[in-house]
Amino acid sequence: MKSKYWISIVIITALTIVLNIIAFSKSFCDWYTVTVYRAINAVVGTLTGWFKLPLGEIIMYVGALVLVMIPVLGIVRIILLKKKAYKNFYNGYLKICLMTIMLFLLVYTTNWFIPIRGNVLKIEDNTRTVFTDEELEQLRTEIVYKMNEIAAQIPRDENGIVISEYSQKDIAAYMAARGDEFPKLKGHYSQAKESICSPILDMMGIGGYNYIYTMEPSYNRYVDKLYSPVVICHELCHHKGYYLENEASFLSVVVLTESDNLLFQYCGYRELYAYVDNACRRNYVNTKITDPNLKEEFLAVAASINIDTNREYSDSFMARLLYNYNFPQLDDIVWDDIENARNESDELYHSEVNAKVEEAISEPVTQVADKGWEVQSNILKENIYDGMLLMYLQYYYD
């Protein structure tokens, strides 16, 4: 029995190593993702879909407990040094842990390491990587006009609040319909599940998460209703094999904004606006603060909008005001919709999360999250969330 155990460990380890070596071939990874991975996704996703709760999250908690118990049981092993029965139990426990870890590494290889190492999503044949400020500003202007237009048409309740009812099946259908253009979007879609640890995810600034080993996308229940479709679409993109953040962010925006559902369009454009406006504002302010005519232009505008021209203002403040004044802005109703959605999610969070518990754990949780975001940025480099903007510009101007 002992030999069979160690033979199994060697076989699993060798298979994991071989697959990772083969995965140095990006063409293999691309082929694998639309064939083998798609089949694994469909089978495992269907099975775990029978559970209402995210099974992967529960397994994660159990796994953490099992690992924590290794040193605890090890201390007991030292105390009961002469107890042969306990020694056999502890050795068996360690073997189970080792086997589980090796199986998890194999599963992560088949379900994540290989797909994520394929070629980055290519936008048509557009290899252009530099766009002018004017082109970026043109895109921003069109987004602003489109959001203002949708805000005037989108269904609202008697209080003027956006009606945000939708089905995840609708999102999956829009995604699958783009399968010819983006091949990984074909096939099975699992239901994104509400995360049990949503309060922790919210403190960490995380909207959703994929449990690779159970093929379960999940989402933070406290994301606001105008962001929720974006998060679900984003996590489903990961679920389908687009594991890089720029890929999932780009695809979620394209799928939602080009759907025929006004709510999805509104949510998608709101997400896109955040990326484009940040880039436009940064470029404009960085250029404007070196303009010798900055103060003169600022004073002319300040006088027309009743800002005290006798005070001293920083170059950054003057440039930001000119940016807001010189470029089209979202209508007040759009900002009201965004604020209402955020207030609603905040109310839900504070009604369910104990304030004292939050105060006790928020700081360490936030520190862990900051380090996590830093590590992710270092690993993904240009393929982080912000990388979606170049993809969208290539797509838009193709």
Side-chain angles (χ1 to χ4, degrees):
M1 289 298 292
K2 288 183 179 180
S3 61
K4 289 182 179 179
Y5 172 85
W6 289 111
I7 289 172
S8 299
I9 290 292
V10 170
I11 292 173
I12 294 170
T13 303
L15 181 58
T16 303
I17 292 172
V18 168
L19 286 173
N20 275 279
I21 292 173
I22 297 174
F24 278 102
S25 168
K26 291 185 178 295
S27 58
F28 166 76
C29 295
D30 291 339
W31 168 84
Y32 177 94
T33 305
V34 296
T35 53
V36 180
Y37 173 85
R38 181 178 291 166
I40 295 173
N41 181 291
V43 173
V44 177
T46 299
L47 292 175
T48 56
W50 295 341
F51 297 86
K52 184 175 181 180
L53 294 174
L55 183 62
E57 186 173 351
I58 296 172
I59 292 174
M60 180 180 69
Y61 298 144
V62 173
L65 178 61
V66 168
L67 291 177
V68 167
M69 289 303 295
I70 291 177
V72 174
L73 294 176
I75 294 172
V76 178
R77 167 75 179 88
I78 295 172
I79 297 172
L80 302 177
L81 191 59
K82 296 182 179 180
K83 299 291 184 179
K84 187 175 180 180
Y86 187 82
K87 174 186 174 182
N88 292 336
F89 160 76
Y90 186 62
N91 289 342
Y93 186 85
L94 291 179
K95 285 185 175 181
I96 291 173
C97 289
L98 177 60
M99 177 63 78
T100 302
I101 291 171
M102 298 313 300
L103 287 171
F104 262 70
L105 287 175
L106 176 59
V107 170
Y108 260 84
T109 295
T110 58
N111 294 4
W112 187 70
F113 286 149
I114 297 177
I116 201 173
R117 289 162 68 178
N119 286 295
V120 180
L121 175 63
K122 188 175 182 181
I123 311 305
E124 302 293 341
D125 292 323
N126 195 335
T127 56
R128 184 179 174 194
T129 58
V130 177
F131 293 84
T132 66
D133 289 351
E134 289 73 21
E135 288 173 318
L136 191 60
E137 290 162 3
Q138 176 189 344
L139 174 59
R140 180 192 176 280
T141 296
E142 294 199 20
I143 295 169
V144 168
Y145 288 154
K146 189 65 179 178
M147 290 188 69
N148 291 340
E149 177 186 329
I150 295 173
Q153 301 173 357
I154 197 166
R156 299 174 180 275
D157 63 19
E158 63 278 7
N159 297 315
I161 305 299
V162 172
I163 297 174
S164 56
E165 298 174 356
Y166 66 91
S167 167
Q168 285 193 35
K169 291 182 179 179
D170 293 336
I171 296 177
Y174 285 122
M175 294 176 70
R178 307 299 295 265
D180 290 336
E181 189 176 359
F182 308 108
K184 294 178 187 178
L185 295 183
K186 293 181 179 179
H188 167 82
Y189 281 83
S190 293
Q191 182 89 351
K193 300 178 181 180
E194 189 176 281
S195 177
I196 300 170
C197 64
S198 287
I200 302 296
L201 292 181
D202 206 66
M203 294 175 200
M204 300 177 81
I206 297 175
Y209 190 81
N210 261 270
Y211 295 97
I212 309 298
Y213 41 93
T214 55
M215 291 295 179
E216 293 174 294
S218 69
Y219 63 92
N220 171 4
R221 75 181 257 102
Y222 301 115
V223 296
D224 71 62
K225 64 184 181 183
L226 295 184
Y227 186 45
S228 178
V230 177
V231 168
I232 290 173
C233 190
H234 183 104
E235 296 307 323
L236 287 177
C237 286
H238 287 329
H239 173 66
K240 297 301 295 175
Y242 288 106
Y243 279 114
L244 296 174
E245 297 299 351
N246 56 345
E247 293 177 328
S249 295
F250 164 76
L251 287 171
S252 59
V253 163
V254 169
V255 168
L256 294 175
T257 58
E258 296 184 0
S259 71
D260 56 9
N261 182 302
L262 282 180
L263 174 65
F264 292 166
Q265 291 178 31
Y266 203 31
C267 297
Y269 277 117
R270 177 206 178 188
E271 178 74 355
L272 180 58
Y273 173 83
Y275 287 103
V276 176
D277 183 63
N278 283 341
C280 280
R281 185 182 298 274
R282 181 179 62 250
N283 294 347
Y284 180 87
V285 171
N286 289 343
T287 300
K288 202 66 181 175
I289 57 178
T290 62
D291 186 345
N293 298 318
L294 171 62
K295 189 167 186 177
E296 182 180 346
E297 291 183 35
F298 168 77
L299 291 175
V301 171
S304 67
I305 57 177
N306 297 321
I307 288 182
D308 186 359
T309 56
N310 294 318
R311 290 181 55 190
E312 287 295 325
Y313 298 96
S314 68
D315 291 345
S316 177
F317 176 86
M318 291 189 288
R320 291 198 304 273
L321 183 136
L322 288 173
Y323 175 82
N324 291 334
Y325 184 81
N326 290 327
F327 292 95
Q329 299 297 318
L330 296 174
D331 289 343
D332 288 343
I333 191 173
V334 177
W335 289 117
D336 288 342
D337 289 338
I338 293 172
E339 184 178 5
N340 287 336
R342 286 175 177 167
N343 289 341
E344 186 177 294
S345 66
D346 286 344
E347 288 176 8
L348 176 63
Y349 175 87
H350 291 299
S351 69
E352 295 182 347
V353 179
N354 184 280
K356 291 184 178 179
V357 173
E358 180 188 19
E359 184 179 355
I361 68 173
S362 61
E363 184 174 347
V365 165
T366 302
Q367 290 175 350
V368 170
D370 290 343
K371 189 62 179 178
W373 291 120
E374 180 184 342
V375 170
Q376 183 192 61
S377 179
N378 291 334
I379 293 174
L380 296 182
K381 297 184 168 90
E382 70 275 8
N383 296 314
I384 59 172
Y385 297 90
D386 288 348
M388 71 82 64
L389 183 53
L390 175 59
M391 284 183 162
Y392 195 87
L393 286 166
Q394 291 173 333
Y395 179 81
Y396 179 78
Y397 281 106
D398 181 67

